[in-house]
Amino acid sequence: MHTNGNPIVRVQNLHKWFGLLHVLRGISLEVYPQEVVVIIGRSGSGKSTFLRCLNLLEEPTSGRIEIDGVAVEATDGELLPESRARIRDLRLKTGMVFQDFNVFPHKTALENVIEGPVVVKGVPKDQAVEKGRELLRKVGLLDKQDVHPIRLSGGQKQRIAIARALAMEPKVMLFDEPTSALDPELIGEVLAVMKDLAREGTTMMIVTHEMGFAHEVADRVIYMEAGMLVEEGPPDQIFTCPKDPRTSQFLARIIESGRLV
Amino acid sequence: MEVTNAPLSPESDPDLAVGLALVRKARRVRLIETLKVGVVWFALLALLTFGLLQLRFDPPYIVQNAYFVLRGVWTTIWVSVVSIFIASVLALFGALGRLSRNPIAQGISSFYISVIRGTPLLIQIYLIYNGLPQLGQQLKLLGYPQLAQLLTLDAFQAGVLALSLNYGAYMTEIFRAGLQAVGHGQYEAAAALGMTRWQMLRRIILPQAIRVIIPDVGNQFIAMQKDSALVSVMGVWEITFRATRLARKDAKFIEMLLVAAALYWILTIVSSWLQSRLEKRMAHAYER
């Protein structure tokens, strides 16, 4: 199924300890350009930690991460010195969307979106504004460009956060439970934006509890439990005939709670 | 909350009419209470004046000499403004040091705070004004005349340095709390965009922290205006120095010290007012 050449994300034997807690237990994964990978699993399975390791918001205890040619490596709880110098390079390869949006409250919608390009990449302001407006139009918020986040709904804030991440032109978009903090009636507008991105061929890694959405947009679904990748496969296979009993157990519980629609 | 639905009016909406009447009444009650407090203030001032007049208090002397003290207000403000500015810079670096994981930065910062907070401001003033030149003399003998010159400060410079160092140490805690008040998610979002620590601080964290810090810095500024009276011991021609100079010459202590006290009082009232205006302006991005 991977017709897009070499993997753009390559994770090898990733481990993460929080104190005495072994949260990630040797994760290896490859993601290919334009692929949409959805990671599911119960709370505390390490999904978010895994995603946050990919842009070094959490420092891995050991293992290797390579994204579009930028590699970092850790052993014995420490990043190698030359890896430490590459943290920012790695972050520039990724865009992240957080559960709590984390939009900048002191900046307007447009200022949020152009902040990265102008400050980090040194893009001329007028160019960044042009691109920023384009992105705001894409997420349906061009009319809110001069509004501060306090006057926006959660769904609007999250769409701004998506536009802000896209503005950096990352190679991979990381979504860490992007709809978990939203009121139910606001989830759809965020998922719609993400579906558009998937259609356009954006490489995405998504941690979510929205199984219907996962089924619809994912090229590959991964079930994670206790810090390990238990099973992966195309959504039809994972959701209809999972091979591992742990996956089917998890999905059964989800279906009970009525979330697999 | 303001009423946003334009077509509503007290005529068409009886509820709104009742609400408006209640709000007006509450406002009237508050106004009357404020007036009563004002009357008490006035009575206290009148009582004080009456008592003083019985004890050969000399108002004409005040009228004749108030201007001499008044001319010190500018110096007091100038010393305080320069000092609060330098103190804020010191406090920012102090706070960054406290929050840093670098042992050198942490060590310098905690040492600075401990020494300054553990010693009296008056001693610090004397050390800087009288102590440093003494060291300078020795350095001159050792063949470093430029260093000696650097350590010999005039009264104004010494006063500003002492106040800045002193307040910088106290304000470090304010800045630390302000930086920590900005949510962790803001640091992460900035980091995820690939910002350096300095970009993060300047563009994302500080602008948000300053909003939290401003009221406390305002309070420190008001306190400093009064602590700046201590620099009079070096002969800086500010309010206190001018007042005590005349008071000693003419034995009019009550008169001149009350003038000085009144001037400080007015300064703090004006400063508080400016502070609240500044806070309102900075709240702009956070208003619905």
PDB file of all heavy atoms in Angstrom, chain A residues 52 88 91 102-107 115 119-120 148 150-151 164 168, chain B residues 185-186 188-189 191 193-196 199 203-204 207-208 285-288:
ATOM      1  N   ARG A  52       4.248  13.243  21.456  1.00  0.00           N
ATOM      2  CA  ARG A  52       5.034  14.362  21.989  1.00  0.00           C
ATOM      3  C   ARG A  52       6.533  14.086  21.947  1.00  0.00           C
ATOM      4  O   ARG A  52       7.336  15.013  21.993  1.00  0.00           O
ATOM      5  CB  ARG A  52       4.581  14.667  23.423  1.00  0.00           C
ATOM      6  CG  ARG A  52       3.179  15.281  23.475  1.00  0.00           C
ATOM      7  CD  ARG A  52       2.576  15.178  24.866  1.00  0.00           C
ATOM      8  NE  ARG A  52       3.431  15.775  25.879  1.00  0.00           N
ATOM      9  CZ  ARG A  52       3.496  17.071  26.111  1.00  0.00           C
ATOM     10  NH1 ARG A  52       2.759  17.902  25.433  1.00  0.00           N
ATOM     11  NH2 ARG A  52       4.304  17.545  27.034  1.00  0.00           N
ATOM     12  N   ARG A  88      15.545  21.783  17.322  1.00  0.00           N
ATOM     13  CA  ARG A  88      14.741  22.792  16.598  1.00  0.00           C
ATOM     14  C   ARG A  88      14.517  22.371  15.147  1.00  0.00           C
ATOM     15  O   ARG A  88      13.441  22.581  14.607  1.00  0.00           O
ATOM     16  CB  ARG A  88      15.393  24.162  16.679  1.00  0.00           C
ATOM     17  CG  ARG A  88      15.067  24.868  17.991  1.00  0.00           C
ATOM     18  CD  ARG A  88      15.541  26.307  17.965  1.00  0.00           C
ATOM     19  NE  ARG A  88      14.852  27.086  16.965  1.00  0.00           N
ATOM     20  CZ  ARG A  88      15.445  27.738  15.981  1.00  0.00           C
ATOM     21  NH1 ARG A  88      16.756  27.695  15.860  1.00  0.00           N
ATOM     22  NH2 ARG A  88      14.745  28.438  15.130  1.00  0.00           N
ATOM     23  N   ARG A  91      11.735  20.009  15.117  1.00  0.00           N
ATOM     24  CA  ARG A  91      10.442  20.666  15.359  1.00  0.00           C
ATOM     25  C   ARG A  91       9.958  21.396  14.120  1.00  0.00           C
ATOM     26  O   ARG A  91       8.755  21.534  13.904  1.00  0.00           O
ATOM     27  CB  ARG A  91      10.567  21.633  16.539  1.00  0.00           C
ATOM     28  CG  ARG A  91      10.627  20.887  17.855  1.00  0.00           C
ATOM     29  CD  ARG A  91      10.780  21.811  19.035  1.00  0.00           C
ATOM     30  NE  ARG A  91      10.782  21.044  20.279  1.00  0.00           N
ATOM     31  CZ  ARG A  91      11.272  21.478  21.424  1.00  0.00           C
ATOM     32  NH1 ARG A  91      11.796  22.698  21.485  1.00  0.00           N
ATOM     33  NH2 ARG A  91      11.237  20.719  22.488  1.00  0.00           N
ATOM     34  N   ASN A 102      -3.943  25.758  22.965  1.00  0.00           N
ATOM     35  CA  ASN A 102      -2.735  26.563  23.232  1.00  0.00           C
ATOM     36  C   ASN A 102      -2.529  27.669  22.210  1.00  0.00           C
ATOM     37  O   ASN A 102      -1.400  27.961  21.833  1.00  0.00           O
ATOM     38  CB  ASN A 102      -1.480  25.681  23.295  1.00  0.00           C
ATOM     39  CG  ASN A 102      -1.533  24.701  24.445  1.00  0.00           C
ATOM     40  OD1 ASN A 102      -2.259  24.933  25.409  1.00  0.00           O
ATOM     41  ND2 ASN A 102      -0.786  23.618  24.356  1.00  0.00           N
ATOM     42  N   VAL A 103      -3.608  28.291  21.767  1.00  0.00           N
ATOM     43  CA  VAL A 103      -3.429  29.481  20.934  1.00  0.00           C
ATOM     44  C   VAL A 103      -2.871  30.584  21.825  1.00  0.00           C
ATOM     45  O   VAL A 103      -2.992  30.530  23.048  1.00  0.00           O
ATOM     46  CB  VAL A 103      -4.758  29.940  20.290  1.00  0.00           C
ATOM     47  CG1 VAL A 103      -5.164  29.007  19.178  1.00  0.00           C
ATOM     48  CG2 VAL A 103      -5.856  30.062  21.327  1.00  0.00           C
ATOM     49  N   PHE A 104      -2.236  31.583  21.197  1.00  0.00           N
ATOM     50  CA  PHE A 104      -1.633  32.669  21.971  1.00  0.00           C
ATOM     51  C   PHE A 104      -2.711  33.711  22.276  1.00  0.00           C
ATOM     52  O   PHE A 104      -3.186  34.393  21.370  1.00  0.00           O
ATOM     53  CB  PHE A 104      -0.477  33.293  21.200  1.00  0.00           C
ATOM     54  CG  PHE A 104       0.587  32.288  20.816  1.00  0.00           C
ATOM     55  CD1 PHE A 104       1.109  32.264  19.535  1.00  0.00           C
ATOM     56  CD2 PHE A 104       1.073  31.376  21.745  1.00  0.00           C
ATOM     57  CE1 PHE A 104       2.088  31.348  19.182  1.00  0.00           C
ATOM     58  CE2 PHE A 104       2.047  30.449  21.403  1.00  0.00           C
ATOM     59  CZ  PHE A 104       2.559  30.430  20.113  1.00  0.00           C
ATOM     60  N   PRO A 105      -3.091  33.860  23.540  1.00  0.00           N
ATOM     61  CA  PRO A 105      -4.238  34.718  23.860  1.00  0.00           C
ATOM     62  C   PRO A 105      -3.985  36.203  23.618  1.00  0.00           C
ATOM     63  O   PRO A 105      -4.926  36.963  23.469  1.00  0.00           O
ATOM     64  CB  PRO A 105      -4.482  34.444  25.354  1.00  0.00           C
ATOM     65  CG  PRO A 105      -3.186  33.948  25.871  1.00  0.00           C
ATOM     66  CD  PRO A 105      -2.519  33.217  24.733  1.00  0.00           C
ATOM     67  N   HIS A 106      -2.714  36.603  23.591  1.00  0.00           N
ATOM     68  CA  HIS A 106      -2.422  38.032  23.423  1.00  0.00           C
ATOM     69  C   HIS A 106      -2.308  38.418  21.956  1.00  0.00           C
ATOM     70  O   HIS A 106      -2.001  39.566  21.651  1.00  0.00           O
ATOM     71  CB  HIS A 106      -1.141  38.396  24.174  1.00  0.00           C
ATOM     72  CG  HIS A 106       0.069  37.626  23.732  1.00  0.00           C
ATOM     73  ND1 HIS A 106       0.126  36.244  23.756  1.00  0.00           N
ATOM     74  CD2 HIS A 106       1.258  38.036  23.242  1.00  0.00           C
ATOM     75  CE1 HIS A 106       1.296  35.856  23.312  1.00  0.00           C
ATOM     76  NE2 HIS A 106       2.000  36.914  22.994  1.00  0.00           N
ATOM     77  N   LYS A 107      -2.560  37.462  21.062  1.00  0.00           N
ATOM     78  CA  LYS A 107      -2.460  37.761  19.641  1.00  0.00           C
ATOM     79  C   LYS A 107      -3.782  37.473  18.937  1.00  0.00           C
ATOM     80  O   LYS A 107      -4.497  36.552  19.331  1.00  0.00           O
ATOM     81  CB  LYS A 107      -1.349  36.917  19.013  1.00  0.00           C
ATOM     82  CG  LYS A 107       0.014  37.282  19.583  1.00  0.00           C
ATOM     83  CD  LYS A 107       1.135  36.571  18.875  1.00  0.00           C
ATOM     84  CE  LYS A 107       2.472  36.992  19.434  1.00  0.00           C
ATOM     85  NZ  LYS A 107       2.766  38.407  19.196  1.00  0.00           N
ATOM     86  N   GLU A 115       2.861  34.237  13.386  1.00  0.00           N
ATOM     87  CA  GLU A 115       3.928  34.327  14.383  1.00  0.00           C
ATOM     88  C   GLU A 115       5.123  33.423  14.042  1.00  0.00           C
ATOM     89  O   GLU A 115       6.266  33.867  14.043  1.00  0.00           O
ATOM     90  CB  GLU A 115       3.367  33.961  15.766  1.00  0.00           C
ATOM     91  CG  GLU A 115       4.374  34.056  16.903  1.00  0.00           C
ATOM     92  CD  GLU A 115       4.765  35.480  17.230  1.00  0.00           C
ATOM     93  OE1 GLU A 115       4.112  36.411  16.716  1.00  0.00           O
ATOM     94  OE2 GLU A 115       5.733  35.670  17.975  1.00  0.00           O
ATOM     95  N   VAL A 119       8.659  35.048  12.947  1.00  0.00           N
ATOM     96  CA  VAL A 119       9.670  35.051  14.013  1.00  0.00           C
ATOM     97  C   VAL A 119      10.697  33.937  13.819  1.00  0.00           C
ATOM     98  O   VAL A 119      11.891  34.149  13.983  1.00  0.00           O
ATOM     99  CB  VAL A 119       8.991  34.921  15.395  1.00  0.00           C
ATOM    100  CG1 VAL A 119      10.017  34.759  16.494  1.00  0.00           C
ATOM    101  CG2 VAL A 119       8.116  36.144  15.651  1.00  0.00           C
ATOM    102  N   VAL A 120      10.216  32.745  13.476  1.00  0.00           N
ATOM    103  CA  VAL A 120      11.125  31.607  13.416  1.00  0.00           C
ATOM    104  C   VAL A 120      11.800  31.480  12.048  1.00  0.00           C
ATOM    105  O   VAL A 120      13.003  31.266  11.953  1.00  0.00           O
ATOM    106  CB  VAL A 120      10.379  30.300  13.767  1.00  0.00           C
ATOM    107  CG1 VAL A 120      11.310  29.106  13.667  1.00  0.00           C
ATOM    108  CG2 VAL A 120       9.788  30.401  15.163  1.00  0.00           C
ATOM    109  N   HIS A 148      -9.320  38.412  18.926  1.00  0.00           N
ATOM    110  CA  HIS A 148      -8.485  37.704  19.902  1.00  0.00           C
ATOM    111  C   HIS A 148      -9.176  36.408  20.341  1.00  0.00           C
ATOM    112  O   HIS A 148     -10.412  36.342  20.359  1.00  0.00           O
ATOM    113  CB  HIS A 148      -8.219  38.589  21.123  1.00  0.00           C
ATOM    114  CG  HIS A 148      -7.147  39.604  20.889  1.00  0.00           C
ATOM    115  ND1 HIS A 148      -7.407  40.893  20.481  1.00  0.00           N
ATOM    116  CD2 HIS A 148      -5.798  39.513  20.973  1.00  0.00           C
ATOM    117  CE1 HIS A 148      -6.274  41.549  20.346  1.00  0.00           C
ATOM    118  NE2 HIS A 148      -5.270  40.748  20.636  1.00  0.00           N
ATOM    119  N   ILE A 150     -10.032  35.019  22.995  1.00  0.00           N
ATOM    120  CA  ILE A 150     -11.047  34.972  24.062  1.00  0.00           C
ATOM    121  C   ILE A 150     -12.462  35.075  23.495  1.00  0.00           C
ATOM    122  O   ILE A 150     -13.412  34.617  24.095  1.00  0.00           O
ATOM    123  CB  ILE A 150     -10.798  36.067  25.113  1.00  0.00           C
ATOM    124  CG1 ILE A 150     -11.718  35.881  26.319  1.00  0.00           C
ATOM    125  CG2 ILE A 150     -11.030  37.438  24.542  1.00  0.00           C
ATOM    126  CD1 ILE A 150     -11.050  35.985  27.630  1.00  0.00           C
ATOM    127  N   ARG A 151     -12.577  35.688  22.305  1.00  0.00           N
ATOM    128  CA  ARG A 151     -13.907  35.836  21.712  1.00  0.00           C
ATOM    129  C   ARG A 151     -14.245  34.697  20.757  1.00  0.00           C
ATOM    130  O   ARG A 151     -15.210  34.787  20.013  1.00  0.00           O
ATOM    131  CB  ARG A 151     -13.997  37.150  20.953  1.00  0.00           C
ATOM    132  CG  ARG A 151     -13.899  38.345  21.863  1.00  0.00           C
ATOM    133  CD  ARG A 151     -14.373  39.578  21.139  1.00  0.00           C
ATOM    134  NE  ARG A 151     -13.663  40.728  21.633  1.00  0.00           N
ATOM    135  CZ  ARG A 151     -13.670  41.907  21.019  1.00  0.00           C
ATOM    136  NH1 ARG A 151     -14.318  42.048  19.887  1.00  0.00           N
ATOM    137  NH2 ARG A 151     -13.008  42.912  21.527  1.00  0.00           N
ATOM    138  N   ARG A 164      -2.141  27.728  12.367  1.00  0.00           N
ATOM    139  CA  ARG A 164      -0.842  28.166  12.886  1.00  0.00           C
ATOM    140  C   ARG A 164       0.233  27.117  12.617  1.00  0.00           C
ATOM    141  O   ARG A 164       1.353  27.436  12.220  1.00  0.00           O
ATOM    142  CB  ARG A 164      -0.960  28.428  14.395  1.00  0.00           C
ATOM    143  CG  ARG A 164       0.339  28.827  15.045  1.00  0.00           C
ATOM    144  CD  ARG A 164       0.153  29.091  16.522  1.00  0.00           C
ATOM    145  NE  ARG A 164      -0.176  27.876  17.268  1.00  0.00           N
ATOM    146  CZ  ARG A 164      -0.407  27.870  18.570  1.00  0.00           C
ATOM    147  NH1 ARG A 164      -0.357  28.988  19.266  1.00  0.00           N
ATOM    148  NH2 ARG A 164      -0.696  26.741  19.195  1.00  0.00           N
ATOM    149  N   MET A 168       3.767  26.848   9.129  1.00  0.00           N
ATOM    150  CA  MET A 168       5.200  26.541   9.152  1.00  0.00           C
ATOM    151  C   MET A 168       5.584  25.536   8.060  1.00  0.00           C
ATOM    152  O   MET A 168       6.734  25.141   7.951  1.00  0.00           O
ATOM    153  CB  MET A 168       5.609  25.994  10.525  1.00  0.00           C
ATOM    154  CG  MET A 168       5.493  26.992  11.651  1.00  0.00           C
ATOM    155  SD  MET A 168       6.543  28.434  11.405  1.00  0.00           S
ATOM    156  CE  MET A 168       8.138  27.758  11.871  1.00  0.00           C
TER     157      MET A 168
ATOM    158  N   GLY B 185       1.202  25.086  28.444  1.00  0.00           N
ATOM    159  CA  GLY B 185       0.843  24.879  27.044  1.00  0.00           C
ATOM    160  C   GLY B 185       1.381  25.976  26.141  1.00  0.00           C
ATOM    161  O   GLY B 185       1.671  25.728  24.962  1.00  0.00           O
ATOM    162  N   GLN B 186       1.520  27.188  26.669  1.00  0.00           N
ATOM    163  CA  GLN B 186       2.043  28.289  25.855  1.00  0.00           C
ATOM    164  C   GLN B 186       3.516  28.051  25.523  1.00  0.00           C
ATOM    165  O   GLN B 186       3.955  28.314  24.407  1.00  0.00           O
ATOM    166  CB  GLN B 186       1.881  29.615  26.610  1.00  0.00           C
ATOM    167  CG  GLN B 186       0.432  30.021  26.798  1.00  0.00           C
ATOM    168  CD  GLN B 186      -0.218  30.403  25.486  1.00  0.00           C
ATOM    169  OE1 GLN B 186       0.325  31.200  24.735  1.00  0.00           O
ATOM    170  NE2 GLN B 186      -1.368  29.821  25.195  1.00  0.00           N
ATOM    171  N   GLU B 188       4.859  25.117  25.336  1.00  0.00           N
ATOM    172  CA  GLU B 188       4.906  23.981  24.405  1.00  0.00           C
ATOM    173  C   GLU B 188       4.530  24.404  22.993  1.00  0.00           C
ATOM    174  O   GLU B 188       5.158  23.977  22.026  1.00  0.00           O
ATOM    175  CB  GLU B 188       3.966  22.877  24.892  1.00  0.00           C
ATOM    176  CG  GLU B 188       4.457  22.230  26.167  1.00  0.00           C
ATOM    177  CD  GLU B 188       3.746  20.931  26.465  1.00  0.00           C
ATOM    178  OE1 GLU B 188       2.629  20.728  25.948  1.00  0.00           O
ATOM    179  OE2 GLU B 188       4.311  20.124  27.216  1.00  0.00           O
ATOM    180  N   ALA B 189       3.496  25.246  22.886  1.00  0.00           N
ATOM    181  CA  ALA B 189       3.072  25.690  21.560  1.00  0.00           C
ATOM    182  C   ALA B 189       4.200  26.469  20.889  1.00  0.00           C
ATOM    183  O   ALA B 189       4.471  26.299  19.698  1.00  0.00           O
ATOM    184  CB  ALA B 189       1.814  26.552  21.668  1.00  0.00           C
ATOM    185  N   ALA B 191       7.417  26.229  21.568  1.00  0.00           N
ATOM    186  CA  ALA B 191       8.503  25.293  21.262  1.00  0.00           C
ATOM    187  C   ALA B 191       8.178  24.485  20.015  1.00  0.00           C
ATOM    188  O   ALA B 191       9.030  24.274  19.149  1.00  0.00           O
ATOM    189  CB  ALA B 191       8.747  24.366  22.455  1.00  0.00           C
ATOM    190  N   LEU B 193       6.561  25.351  17.524  1.00  0.00           N
ATOM    191  CA  LEU B 193       6.758  26.155  16.314  1.00  0.00           C
ATOM    192  C   LEU B 193       8.238  26.276  15.962  1.00  0.00           C
ATOM    193  O   LEU B 193       8.590  26.819  14.926  1.00  0.00           O
ATOM    194  CB  LEU B 193       6.179  27.559  16.505  1.00  0.00           C
ATOM    195  CG  LEU B 193       4.656  27.700  16.471  1.00  0.00           C
ATOM    196  CD1 LEU B 193       4.256  29.137  16.737  1.00  0.00           C
ATOM    197  CD2 LEU B 193       4.103  27.251  15.124  1.00  0.00           C
ATOM    198  N   GLY B 194       9.089  25.794  16.846  1.00  0.00           N
ATOM    199  CA  GLY B 194      10.525  25.844  16.581  1.00  0.00           C
ATOM    200  C   GLY B 194      11.192  27.091  17.132  1.00  0.00           C
ATOM    201  O   GLY B 194      12.297  27.438  16.726  1.00  0.00           O
ATOM    202  N   MET B 195      10.532  27.778  18.071  1.00  0.00           N
ATOM    203  CA  MET B 195      11.126  28.997  18.627  1.00  0.00           C
ATOM    204  C   MET B 195      12.302  28.662  19.534  1.00  0.00           C
ATOM    205  O   MET B 195      12.312  27.648  20.221  1.00  0.00           O
ATOM    206  CB  MET B 195      10.082  29.770  19.450  1.00  0.00           C
ATOM    207  CG  MET B 195       9.039  30.462  18.613  1.00  0.00           C
ATOM    208  SD  MET B 195       8.069  31.596  19.622  1.00  0.00           S
ATOM    209  CE  MET B 195       6.906  32.164  18.389  1.00  0.00           C
ATOM    210  N   THR B 196      13.294  29.568  19.537  1.00  0.00           N
ATOM    211  CA  THR B 196      14.374  29.456  20.505  1.00  0.00           C
ATOM    212  C   THR B 196      13.838  29.927  21.859  1.00  0.00           C
ATOM    213  O   THR B 196      12.777  30.549  21.928  1.00  0.00           O
ATOM    214  CB  THR B 196      15.559  30.352  20.113  1.00  0.00           C
ATOM    215  OG1 THR B 196      15.110  31.713  20.099  1.00  0.00           O
ATOM    216  CG2 THR B 196      16.083  30.004  18.731  1.00  0.00           C
ATOM    217  N   GLN B 199      13.232  33.679  21.761  1.00  0.00           N
ATOM    218  CA  GLN B 199      12.031  34.057  21.002  1.00  0.00           C
ATOM    219  C   GLN B 199      10.772  33.758  21.805  1.00  0.00           C
ATOM    220  O   GLN B 199       9.832  34.553  21.858  1.00  0.00           O
ATOM    221  CB  GLN B 199      11.990  33.294  19.680  1.00  0.00           C
ATOM    222  CG  GLN B 199      13.029  33.750  18.669  1.00  0.00           C
ATOM    223  CD  GLN B 199      13.146  32.796  17.488  1.00  0.00           C
ATOM    224  OE1 GLN B 199      12.779  31.632  17.587  1.00  0.00           O
ATOM    225  NE2 GLN B 199      13.693  33.286  16.389  1.00  0.00           N
ATOM    226  N   ARG B 203       8.414  36.841  22.678  1.00  0.00           N
ATOM    227  CA  ARG B 203       7.202  36.961  21.874  1.00  0.00           C
ATOM    228  C   ARG B 203       5.959  36.376  22.543  1.00  0.00           C
ATOM    229  O   ARG B 203       4.856  36.858  22.320  1.00  0.00           O
ATOM    230  CB  ARG B 203       7.405  36.233  20.527  1.00  0.00           C
ATOM    231  CG  ARG B 203       8.597  36.698  19.736  1.00  0.00           C
ATOM    232  CD  ARG B 203       8.325  38.002  19.073  1.00  0.00           C
ATOM    233  NE  ARG B 203       7.054  37.993  18.357  1.00  0.00           N
ATOM    234  CZ  ARG B 203       6.573  39.037  17.701  1.00  0.00           C
ATOM    235  NH1 ARG B 203       7.247  40.161  17.682  1.00  0.00           N
ATOM    236  NH2 ARG B 203       5.424  38.953  17.085  1.00  0.00           N
ATOM    237  N   ILE B 204       6.145  35.314  23.332  1.00  0.00           N
ATOM    238  CA  ILE B 204       4.977  34.596  23.832  1.00  0.00           C
ATOM    239  C   ILE B 204       4.814  34.736  25.355  1.00  0.00           C
ATOM    240  O   ILE B 204       3.750  35.088  25.843  1.00  0.00           O
ATOM    241  CB  ILE B 204       5.066  33.096  23.467  1.00  0.00           C
ATOM    242  CG1 ILE B 204       5.291  32.933  21.958  1.00  0.00           C
ATOM    243  CG2 ILE B 204       3.823  32.348  23.929  1.00  0.00           C
ATOM    244  CD1 ILE B 204       4.222  33.556  21.090  1.00  0.00           C
ATOM    245  N   PRO B 207       4.983  38.878  27.120  1.00  0.00           N
ATOM    246  CA  PRO B 207       3.791  39.707  26.934  1.00  0.00           C
ATOM    247  C   PRO B 207       2.620  39.252  27.806  1.00  0.00           C
ATOM    248  O   PRO B 207       1.834  40.068  28.263  1.00  0.00           O
ATOM    249  CB  PRO B 207       3.458  39.532  25.451  1.00  0.00           C
ATOM    250  CG  PRO B 207       4.729  39.134  24.810  1.00  0.00           C
ATOM    251  CD  PRO B 207       5.487  38.340  25.839  1.00  0.00           C
ATOM    252  N   GLN B 208       2.522  37.953  28.026  1.00  0.00           N
ATOM    253  CA  GLN B 208       1.435  37.460  28.872  1.00  0.00           C
ATOM    254  C   GLN B 208       1.760  37.624  30.348  1.00  0.00           C
ATOM    255  O   GLN B 208       0.888  37.911  31.162  1.00  0.00           O
ATOM    256  CB  GLN B 208       1.159  35.984  28.567  1.00  0.00           C
ATOM    257  CG  GLN B 208       0.654  35.761  27.148  1.00  0.00           C
ATOM    258  CD  GLN B 208       0.342  34.297  26.881  1.00  0.00           C
ATOM    259  OE1 GLN B 208      -0.510  33.709  27.521  1.00  0.00           O
ATOM    260  NE2 GLN B 208       1.034  33.705  25.928  1.00  0.00           N
ATOM    261  N   ALA B 285      -6.817  42.768  25.030  1.00  0.00           N
ATOM    262  CA  ALA B 285      -6.895  41.508  24.280  1.00  0.00           C
ATOM    263  C   ALA B 285      -7.745  40.468  24.998  1.00  0.00           C
ATOM    264  O   ALA B 285      -8.125  39.463  24.431  1.00  0.00           O
ATOM    265  CB  ALA B 285      -5.499  40.944  24.048  1.00  0.00           C
ATOM    266  N   TYR B 286      -8.047  40.726  26.282  1.00  0.00           N
ATOM    267  CA  TYR B 286      -8.722  39.703  27.064  1.00  0.00           C
ATOM    268  C   TYR B 286     -10.182  40.048  27.321  1.00  0.00           C
ATOM    269  O   TYR B 286     -10.850  39.431  28.125  1.00  0.00           O
ATOM    270  CB  TYR B 286      -7.980  39.499  28.391  1.00  0.00           C
ATOM    271  CG  TYR B 286      -6.572  39.038  28.162  1.00  0.00           C
ATOM    272  CD1 TYR B 286      -5.553  39.946  27.929  1.00  0.00           C
ATOM    273  CD2 TYR B 286      -6.264  37.686  28.128  1.00  0.00           C
ATOM    274  CE1 TYR B 286      -4.257  39.526  27.680  1.00  0.00           C
ATOM    275  CE2 TYR B 286      -4.988  37.252  27.890  1.00  0.00           C
ATOM    276  CZ  TYR B 286      -3.991  38.171  27.664  1.00  0.00           C
ATOM    277  OH  TYR B 286      -2.719  37.741  27.424  1.00  0.00           O
ATOM    278  N   GLU B 287     -10.668  41.092  26.605  1.00  0.00           N
ATOM    279  CA  GLU B 287     -12.071  41.461  26.794  1.00  0.00           C
ATOM    280  C   GLU B 287     -12.937  40.799  25.735  1.00  0.00           C
ATOM    281  O   GLU B 287     -12.612  40.833  24.558  1.00  0.00           O
ATOM    282  CB  GLU B 287     -12.224  42.987  26.704  1.00  0.00           C
ATOM    283  CG  GLU B 287     -11.915  43.642  28.027  1.00  0.00           C
ATOM    284  CD  GLU B 287     -11.631  45.126  27.861  1.00  0.00           C
ATOM    285  OE1 GLU B 287     -11.731  45.624  26.731  1.00  0.00           O
ATOM    286  OE2 GLU B 287     -11.292  45.754  28.868  1.00  0.00           O
ATOM    287  N   ARG B 288     -14.020  40.239  26.163  1.00  0.00           N
ATOM    288  CA  ARG B 288     -14.938  39.597  25.226  1.00  0.00           C
ATOM    289  C   ARG B 288     -15.669  40.631  24.399  1.00  0.00           C
ATOM    290  O   ARG B 288     -15.992  41.690  24.860  1.00  0.00           O
ATOM    291  CB  ARG B 288     -15.973  38.762  26.008  1.00  0.00           C
ATOM    292  CG  ARG B 288     -15.409  37.425  26.352  1.00  0.00           C
ATOM    293  CD  ARG B 288     -16.345  36.687  27.303  1.00  0.00           C
ATOM    294  NE  ARG B 288     -15.685  35.502  27.799  1.00  0.00           N
ATOM    295  CZ  ARG B 288     -15.632  34.364  27.126  1.00  0.00           C
ATOM    296  NH1 ARG B 288     -16.174  34.271  25.953  1.00  0.00           N
ATOM    297  NH2 ARG B 288     -15.025  33.330  27.654  1.00  0.00           N
TER     298      ARG B 288
END
